[in-house]
Amino acid sequence: MKRNANVEKRGWLDLKIERFGRLFRTLGVVECVSFLQQMVRKVNPILLRVPRVRTPLWFRAHTSDFYLLWALFKKREGDIDLPRSPEFIIDGGAHGGFSAVRFANRFPHATILAIEPHPRNLALLRSNCASYPKIIPLAGAIWPTSATLAIRNPDDPNIDFFVGETTSQSEKTIRGYTIPELLSLSGFDRIDLLKLDIEGAEIPLFTKGDLSWIS
């Protein structure tokens, strides 16, 4: 039992070291020191400056926010070459606004509609995007039809929330928007860049939804 406990402890320590190594490679020495100081003072959320981002960003301690920091700003997941600079971007499943801010720094002239269903994530998104007037936060979720939705797993980690249709009057409901509805709201007639991280709703969106917009 003692050996198993030591192995488990070493695994936990290795994970902590790996995570801090990601943070160090992403932020550098100065911001890692700031991160540790804020953690010691039990500051939450934590405010950090990210390389090549013109505004500091808020991150929640002990959450997946720091994985997204590494994945988006260091690993640069989702980087694609576009034939022209986008005018209109939809960020579906915008979480805490990290991807929207990254788009805004990369494409400063683009209008970005950032849609997020969960109130806590949405509050962080609004804080992180407050200095970017071309980012438009929207409470809701992308869905194949206009529908009333609810989060099905509200107690899960904040990166894993998924939604489903509901008729219950007791649940906290969310507006489900179709892609054509979002285009109509935006005033644009085309999407130049569509980012979707909507926890499985991609399947009904592309199999049951109106796809007239996709061309």
Side-chain angles (χ1 to χ4, degrees):
M1 290 294 292
K2 184 176 180 181
R3 182 179 180 276
N4 289 340
N6 288 337
V7 169
E8 184 177 338
K9 183 177 180 181
R10 188 164 64 248
W12 175 86
L13 183 61
D14 288 346
L15 182 61
K16 289 291 185 182
I17 291 171
E18 178 187 353
R19 287 176 176 173
F20 188 77
R22 287 178 177 175
L23 194 69
F24 179 82
R25 293 192 298 274
T26 305
L27 297 177
V29 176
V30 174
E31 286 305 299
C32 276
V33 170
S34 174
F35 166 78
L36 291 172
Q37 289 173 336
Q38 293 180 73
M39 288 292 287
V40 168
R41 299 200 310 269
K42 297 184 179 180
V43 174
N44 193 22
I46 293 171
L47 188 64
L48 296 170
R49 291 194 170 276
V50 179
R52 296 180 294 280
V53 176
R54 62 181 178 84
T55 56
L57 297 177
W58 294 100
F59 297 89
R60 293 163 293 190
H62 311 297
T63 71
S64 56
D65 290 0
F66 290 100
Y67 170 78
L68 293 175
L69 166 67
W70 170 76
L72 289 169
F73 295 101
K74 179 61 179 179
K75 195 178 176 186
R76 307 191 72 78
E77 284 187 356
D79 262 7
I80 57 172
D81 294 324
L82 299 174
R84 60 190 179 90
S85 183
E87 295 180 10
F88 180 52
I89 297 170
I90 291 180
D91 183 351
H95 196 259
F98 310 120
S99 51
V101 166
R102 183 170 163 230
F103 289 140
N105 280 270
R106 187 179 177 196
F107 307 116
H109 301 296
T111 297
I112 302 163
L113 183 62
I115 182 167
E116 168 60 37
H118 198 279
R120 290 198 302 272
N121 287 347
L122 187 67
L124 187 68
L125 184 157
R126 285 173 170 152
S127 295
N128 279 330
C129 297
S131 298
Y132 296 88
K134 294 185 79 66
I135 298 177
I136 305 167
L138 179 64
I142 296 177
W143 200 246
T145 59
S146 297
T148 301
L149 310 174
I151 292 172
R152 293 306 187 200
N153 56 337
D155 297 324
D156 282 2
N158 57 24
I159 198 174
D160 294 329
F161 296 130
F162 65 89
V163 299
E165 294 188 23
T166 184
T167 57
S168 171
Q169 300 301 311
S170 60
E171 290 184 292
K172 294 181 179 179
T173 58
I174 301 153
R175 169 79 183 274
Y177 292 91
T178 66
I179 296 287
E181 284 176 329
L182 294 178
L183 276 166
S184 178
L185 283 172
S186 72
F188 287 88
D189 60 5
R190 61 175 286 156
I191 305 164
D192 297 298
L193 177 59
L194 173 64
K195 170 254 174 182
L196 293 175
D197 187 3
I198 52 178
E199 301 305 315
E202 295 90 345
I203 294 171
L205 178 67
F206 287 107
T207 58
K208 300 177 182 178
D210 175 3
L211 297 180
S212 60
W213 55 272
I214 204 165
S215 61

